[in-house]
Amino acid sequence: MMKFSFSKKIFFGVLAGTALVFAAARGAEIPGAPAEPRPLVADGVFAGSVFVAEDCDMAELAAAQDLANWIRKISGAENVRVRTENFADAANPRGVFVGKTLAAARARVAAPAEGDESYVVAPRGEALFLVGRTPAATAHAAAKLLTRDFGAEFLFPGEDGAEWTPKKDVPFPREDFVCVPAWTRRAVALGGGAENAAWARRLGFGELPRFSHNLCRIFTPEIYAEHPRLAPFCNGRVEAERNGGYAPQPNLANPDAPRVALAAAKEYFAENPDAPMFSVGVNDCFSWDESEESARAYGDAPMRWFRNLPNRSDYFWRFADATARALAAADGGAFAGKKISAIAYLDCQDAPTFRVAENVFPVLCADRSLWIFPEFAAEDKALMRRWAASGVGGWGVYDYYYGDPFLFPRVFFRAEADSVAFAHAAGARLFYGEVFPQAPFDAPKVWLLSKLLENPRADADALLEKFFALAYGNAAAEMREFFALCEKIWREQGGQCRWIKGWRVENSVEIFPAAARAECRTLLEAARKALPEAPEDVRERRVAARLDAALLCWERAEAFAKSYDARKELETRTRALKTPEDCAAALESPAWNFEKIYSDAAWLRAHPDAGFAPCGMGVSDPRASAFVRVVDALRAMPRDEERLAAERKLAGVLRGLPDGRVSETLFRALVPALAGAPVFAENFEPRLSRDPEDGEEREKSAFVALDENGWRRGKTVAAPASFTLRSAPAENLFCGETSDACAGASALKISGACEMTELSRDVETRPGARAALSVRARGRLSVGATAGFMLRWRDAERKILRVEFARLSCGETPEWTRFVVAGTAPENAATLEILLSAGLFAPDDFVAFDDVELFEF
């Protein structure tokens, strides 16, 4: 609830579900203080100093220094200093006191008791106290003073990211200002660096309790040695030695699992007595325990699916619930008020079918930018309602507001406002968002988010109008139109609507087709032309710098998209080469030297001070596949002048390949190598296998095929005999005899719900050894979906040294097509991993693999 009250107890502007913000009656007055304090700043002179306590938290010190810096910048007051208070300062306070100082205690100024990150800005005599319940909340109070009284708005990171008007005179606040934000805990991941940290602090983002991935810290190899039945059984073996955030989930069905988690929770609270919760969040891994104990816990009914993944919510949340109930009863109620938290993530996103303990605190993970799809918004709202009614005493949401690795703007203002308002109304009070922003494109949604988390019912359109007017001045109309167009493109993209669509998948640039890219660029250029080429006004220089940064980000995204378009065109063109002229045309493609269109390393070298992060999009290389297809096609053609001309052109292309991992030497050795005997082959044919139960040899498929009834007892699919399943299974996974096979009688097909399925095979290698992976594939992929083939070299410690990969192009690959990935083992290479992968499928997407062969040469 938002309340505004003054010392006369007048209330107005009461709105359900918004932040509690009010000006309150004064507390104890400072003895001897004048009735009318001097202004905070008078004619460019600051009244006093900025004080912190001798034992202040580093966040409070940073807030005080930031406050002093901005007061100097806005008012020109050079006398602003940050000092540690002493007893004399506390006895006769004058200036601004940041945090829980002695002077604040003497004046009986404290943050409100309600809310985790509430704060007060309280004038007392000639002292102004900024006090939060936490150091982060105190920093929010300092930022609020700058925004409310000094007129600063922190629109972007960095000092030039703010807008303000110089003010030589700033009156002293007359009344207390108290803020209890609607979302009591809120934070975003903006990436590293002091500027991003300061921007988050100025926008009111704070610190969060522990709620994310944590099973790896609870269930360690040492715990598995003590409790061997807790170790995950995956892919036919016990994984007791694997640890870290990507380790398989332990056996949570064993009764010792909640006992181990309880012991870890008690130890954590002993070391962190003020912490409100302890996390039992799942590891960031698709592999779940396949032991008989877990199989019984999964149940005999066919496995349910939820959001492209098996639904193991009852399995996981029974463990979390048991841990929470044990904590509530432990040590005579010593942990009353403490919660067991976990992310509702991967296979445990759904609310359980049973009522959980009140001290369970789930944090619901979803990509709510995809509320642009009405069916997903409805599903997510229903999920929030189910969790709110599940018995929990509190819950939060975890969102994905990227940012990096997306290169084009990912704009969803309406979905942002709607999801924040709905989640708060449904009962959520903790918000966390991953952003890692490209500031020129992502700052508007981050700034808007900060305002909505303070007041979820605020007018998002009015806030955005304010942002664009402040951020872009005379170019505000053009930039508002640019972002509106970007939001329209995102909203109308179509295709699949699950999870972080297009995250690290390069075909996501197709959301912005060439015509849309041209329209967006026109608007950006028009915005820049609204300002002088070399502005003299300080504010206009800030605005021009922001527009120049946006144009530079756009230039990078366009260059990457042109590289992607060229590589896709080469891959698709070389699927059907019927004449020497077809081959010659394919050899004209700029994709043979796509690094000249866009190279991330070259871009970063050319713009070292622009703040760009390395591009997180995987770049598939079609050249090995295209080269082999051209050679195969030419060999099948009559040896006439047209063929000879195409072969000469091919030789020229080889000579023009860049030096490095892809080279003429590698490609010239590739063709004879592919004609030799493979060191590994898999055609997914049925084979004889000895049944472990009766010892009889019988013919069976390479691995168990899955259909809608294939998930009985929660049994995870067994991989082909030659592969290991590394990630989540697919809903429909067929392996065996089919009329749709490429050359033989069998193939592997993946379709239906599929978050990420990976089949892996390791072979030994040595530094300098060259390898080529040949795979036949066909499929249909929507934008954001992925299917491909990878060679990954690792050292003896399993560290990844080099990766080469190719993907099916977005769209149709109707005929069986040969794909080739080639590369050379780097120094210290010990293992070469073959990887077949598919994921983020829309309902109609599929991929089929056949004739997998690895050659070393």
Side-chain angles (χ1 to χ4, degrees), residues 169-507:
D169 297 285
V170 179
F172 206 89
R174 300 295 298 267
E175 303 288 346
D176 287 9
F177 180 85
V178 178
C179 182
V180 180
W183 289 80
T184 58
R185 293 274 188 174
R186 56 213 190 281
V188 289
L190 297 179
E195 286 192 349
N196 280 333
W199 189 38
R201 184 173 64 245
R202 293 164 187 160
L203 289 180
F205 295 113
E207 302 168 346
L208 293 180
R210 186 177 287 185
F211 62 82
S212 193
H213 309 294
N214 204 41
L215 287 185
C216 60
R217 297 183 182 93
I218 301 170
F219 297 93
T220 62
E222 293 75 20
I223 289 293
Y224 291 148
E226 192 175 333
H227 303 271
R229 292 180 64 188
L230 295 179
F233 180 79
C234 300
N235 303 310
R237 60 192 178 92
V238 176
E239 301 263 12
E241 299 304 318
R242 287 186 63 188
N243 198 23
Y246 300 104
Q249 317 299 344
N251 173 6
L252 301 178
N254 188 281
D256 282 345
R259 296 179 192 131
V260 168
L262 173 63
K266 291 170 68 174
E267 181 179 349
Y268 175 77
F269 287 129
E271 296 173 358
N272 303 274
D274 294 330
M277 58 187 70
F278 174 73
S279 175
V280 295
V282 296
N283 296 332
D284 201 358
C285 179
F286 292 107
S287 296
W288 289 71
D289 179 53
E290 301 166 25
S291 69
E292 286 301 317
E293 199 164 20
S294 287
R296 288 192 297 272
Y298 296 146
D300 290 332
M303 178 70 78
R304 295 179 299 135
W305 288 76
F306 186 70
R307 292 183 173 173
N308 272 7
L309 288 163
N311 189 339
R312 306 179 204 260
S313 282
D314 279 2
Y315 172 81
F316 172 78
W317 292 104
R318 283 195 192 280
F319 152 76
D321 179 65
T323 306
R325 293 179 188 278
L327 180 70
D331 300 349
F335 300 97
K338 303 293 188 184
K339 297 183 182 295
I340 292 296
S341 60
I343 45 176
Y345 178 73
L346 294 182
D347 295 29
C348 58
Q349 295 179 66
D350 201 2
T353 59
F354 57 89
R355 193 166 182 81
V356 299
E358 186 179 6
N359 61 330
V360 170
F361 192 99
V363 180
L364 282 56
C365 298
D367 175 11
R368 296 178 183 91
S369 77
L370 297 182
W371 274 36
I372 58 170
F373 294 95
E375 67 274 22
F376 182 71
E379 177 198 276
D380 203 38
K381 290 177 181 178
L383 177 63
M384 291 183 193
R385 294 188 189 101
R386 290 200 301 275
W387 270 113
S390 67
V392 299
W395 56 283
V397 295
Y398 190 130
D399 219 317
Y400 302 87
Y401 274 53
Y402 304 119
D404 181 64
F406 294 89
L407 295 175
F408 287 110
R410 193 165 171 263
V411 181
F412 45 93
F413 297 134
R414 177 47 50 199
E416 178 179 3
D418 290 347
S419 60
V420 168
F422 183 90
H424 183 267
R429 292 297 180 268
L430 178 149
F431 181 97
Y432 177 71
E434 292 186 20
V435 185
F436 305 107
Q438 286 194 94
F441 292 161
D442 297 309
K445 68 187 176 195
V446 175
W447 184 87
L448 176 63
L449 177 65
S450 72
K451 305 301 182 183
L452 294 173
L453 293 180
E454 211 173 80
N455 178 1
R457 295 187 181 276
D459 185 333
D461 290 332
L463 287 170
L464 287 168
E465 290 300 327
K466 177 180 179 179
F467 177 93
F468 288 111
L470 289 171
Y472 299 113
N474 291 336
E478 291 83 356
M479 291 305 289
R480 186 71 180 98
E481 189 176 353
F482 167 77
F483 277 96
L485 177 57
C486 291
E487 183 171 22
K488 179 176 183 289
I489 293 168
W490 183 261
R491 186 175 62 247
E492 297 177 356
Q493 62 184 265
Q496 56 100 350
C497 61
R498 287 290 183 264
W499 209 233
I500 314 163
K501 181 175 181 178
W503 188 72
R504 294 187 175 177
V505 178
E506 61 181 339
N507 70 32

Side-chain angles (χ1 to χ4, degrees), residues 23 79 143 161 189 234 290 397 401 444 475 539 549 562 726 769 853:
N79 67 318
C234 300
E290 301 166 25
V397 295
Y401 274 53
R539 167 163 161 69
K562 289 175 182 176
R726 303 293 296 181
E853 297 177 310

